[in-house]
């Protein structure tokens, strides 16, 4: 059962319903329901959900590759090629939501990841006006902090 995050869910749904690029960062203390909120939002939507590992660059590349390719045997050779594959997905006019949960783990394992994502947002995604999750895309990153 989902309770207590209706206003945040409504905000995400409004973002999703636009025909413009959207980017949401969901952050807060640990164990307050961020991932539950995201999972509720993603119901009945085409989405790519990756939970980053507190591990190596390679482990995160393998994990995110499996999510993006929807195939456990496909691993991209770099994060750049992985995000190029997402660019191609956006050309299909399908709405896709990309979610990277526990983003700080990914960023720690591979510091250039934020600039790679920024590049793809600026050059490929923000001007995509079709029905693809990323487009009216919502890119959600979740972060926990200890207060």
């Amino acid at each position: 059962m989902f309770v207590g995050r209706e206003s945040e869910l409504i905000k995400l749904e409004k973002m999703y319903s636009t025909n413009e690029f959207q980017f949401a960062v969901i952050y807060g203390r640990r164990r307050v329901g961020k991932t539950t909120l995201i999972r509720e939002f993603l119901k009945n939507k085409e989405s790519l959900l990756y939970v980053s590992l507190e591990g190596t660059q390679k482990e995160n590349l393998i994990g995110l590759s499996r999510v993006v390719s929807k195939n456990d045997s496909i691993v991209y050779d770099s994060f750049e090629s992985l995000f190029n594959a997402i660019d191609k997905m956006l050309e299909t006019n399908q709405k896709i939501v990309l979610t990277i949960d526990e983003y700080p783990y990914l960023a720690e394992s591979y510091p250039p990841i934020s600039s790679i994502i920024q590049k793809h947002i600026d050059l490929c995604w923000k001007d995509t006006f079709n029905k693809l999750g990323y487009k009216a895309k919502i890119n959600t990153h979740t972060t926990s902090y200890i207060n």
Side-chain angles (χ1 to χ4, degrees):
M1 180 167 61
F2 181 76
V3 294
R5 288 293 186 102
E6 289 79 11
S7 65
E8 292 94 338
L9 188 58
I10 289 168
K11 287 178 186 176
L12 289 171
E13 292 293 351
K14 283 182 182 179
M15 291 174 72
Y16 182 79
S17 69
T18 71
N19 285 327
E20 299 173 356
F21 174 81
Q22 299 291 318
F23 187 95
V25 176
I26 300 169
Y27 65 94
R29 293 185 321 273
R30 297 193 73 69
R31 311 295 307 154
V32 296
K34 298 177 299 295
T35 299
T36 301
L37 169 65
I38 290 167
R39 289 182 186 274
E40 182 68 21
F41 168 70
L42 294 177
K43 284 183 180 175
N44 303 313
K45 294 176 179 69
E46 183 67 27
S47 62
L48 304 171
L49 170 61
Y50 176 62
V51 180
S52 303
L53 300 175
E54 191 172 14
T56 66
Q57 170 188 338
K58 183 175 182 176
E59 289 170 322
N60 280 300
L61 178 59
I62 290 169
L64 189 52
S65 292
R66 289 176 174 165
V67 168
V68 170
S69 69
K70 298 182 180 181
N71 183 331
D72 284 349
S73 64
I74 294 176
V75 176
Y76 295 97
D77 62 353
S78 68
F79 281 103
E80 184 63 39
S81 63
L82 183 146
F83 282 97
N84 287 337
I86 293 172
D87 296 346
K88 294 263 188 233
M89 294 170 75
L90 298 181
E91 294 172 0
T92 67
N93 293 332
Q94 176 185 6
K95 193 179 257 192
I96 301 164
V97 180
L98 171 64
T99 303
I100 302 174
D101 199 357
E102 299 294 353
Y103 183 78
Y105 293 151
L106 177 59
E108 185 176 315
S109 75
Y110 187 59
I113 193 68
S114 294
S115 34
I116 290 171
I117 292 171
Q118 179 182 352
K119 179 181 89 170
H120 285 267
I121 289 171
D122 291 345
L123 298 179
C124 303
W125 304 343
K126 75 175 184 180
D127 294 324
T128 305
F129 292 102
N130 46 25
K131 289 292 181 185
L132 55 244
Y134 237 58
K135 158 221 114 94
K137 11 186 186 205
I138 298 179
N139 182 344
T140 58
H141 290 195
T142 62
T143 303
S144 296
Y145 67 89
I146 299 174
N147 202 2

